[in-house]
Amino acid sequence: MTEPVSVFRALHHGRTPGDPLVLPGPWDAASARVFEEAGSPALATPSAGVAASLGHADGETPADEMFAAVARIARAVSVPVSADVEAGYGLAPDELVDRLLEAGVVGCNLEDSVDGVLVDPRRQADRLAEVCAAAGGRLFVNARIDTYVHGDPAATDVVADTVARARLYADAGADCVYPIMAPPDTLPALAAAVPVPLNALGAPDGRAATRRLGELGATRITFGPQLQRRAADAVRDLAGRLLGD
């Protein structure tokens, strides 16, 4: 039987420009099952969405709670699940890999900022290399690049900084790079500059929107906590109709 990580890795390759891999972001077991039943071939948890489901602010979920929540999601479905584990919760690479594998996931997002400050790119590349070495191919590592979130456009060329980081991370063994919040018009240059698949942040506005990002160079589309927030809005509307005047 093909290993789930091999299935997940293969989903990122051989795609046509208008057909990117769309990965919904479940925040609990119930939402994961909904996305699987809708036909999603794989899922990617958002740390902010999971945090909200657990009653925490974004970035404040204790590691044990995050891994437990991710494990519940992975157990609830039969498709591969990748987990957003923020900057890795200060865990050593081998421990981080062990905990991800114990949770039953096939991949992870690791971001290159801590407490709103970008990490030195070479230091981050070294950490990614250690994670990839510890994983030994058992995890698909998506290197999130936070230059468009925490970079300083007045002090740096954000596109050049993003490309430099992406190349370093790919050389370190990352399977994919994720310049979160990169404007769509920068995607062609970013995709052309790196040798691994490019993850773009999409809006959950239908297939036309995701196809367009694919045409611009994105191999994979994720949505951060937007799906959880739309679900919360729907519950808020329902509550208002049930309990309002």
Side-chain angles (χ1 to χ4, degrees), residues 148 159 182-190 212-213 216:
Y148 287 96
V159 173
D185 62 3
T186 67
L187 295 179
L190 294 174
R212 180 58 181 154
L213 292 176
L216 290 171

Side-chain angles (χ1 to χ4, degrees), residues 97-199:
V97 167
D98 286 346
R99 300 211 52 182
L100 287 163
L101 294 173
E102 287 169 3
V105 300
V106 299
C108 67
N109 278 13
L110 283 173
E111 58 198 50
D112 64 353
S113 65
V114 177
D115 297 328
V117 178
L118 284 168
V119 175
D120 176 83
R122 294 192 179 278
R123 194 176 92 193
Q124 180 68 2
D126 288 344
R127 177 165 170 77
L128 288 167
E130 292 174 353
V131 170
C132 292
R138 295 173 295 171
L139 290 173
F140 184 99
V141 177
N142 188 30
R144 199 180 99 173
I145 303 170
D146 286 358
T147 45
Y148 287 96
V149 182
H150 301 304
D152 182 359
T156 61
D157 181 333
V158 178
V159 173
D161 187 15
T162 302
V163 167
R165 286 174 180 266
R167 287 175 172 165
L168 280 172
Y169 302 164
D171 288 345
D175 295 280
C176 185
V177 293
Y178 179 20
I180 189 170
M181 301 297 291
D185 62 3
T186 67
L187 295 179
L190 294 174
V194 295
V196 296
L198 181 72
N199 188 158

Side-chain angles (χ1 to χ4, degrees), residues 51-79:
S53 76
L54 297 173
H56 298 293
D58 185 19
E60 296 184 5
T61 308
D64 287 349
E65 291 191 44
M66 182 62 74
F67 284 111
V70 165
R72 287 192 293 273
I73 290 169
R75 286 196 303 269
V77 295
S78 59
V79 297

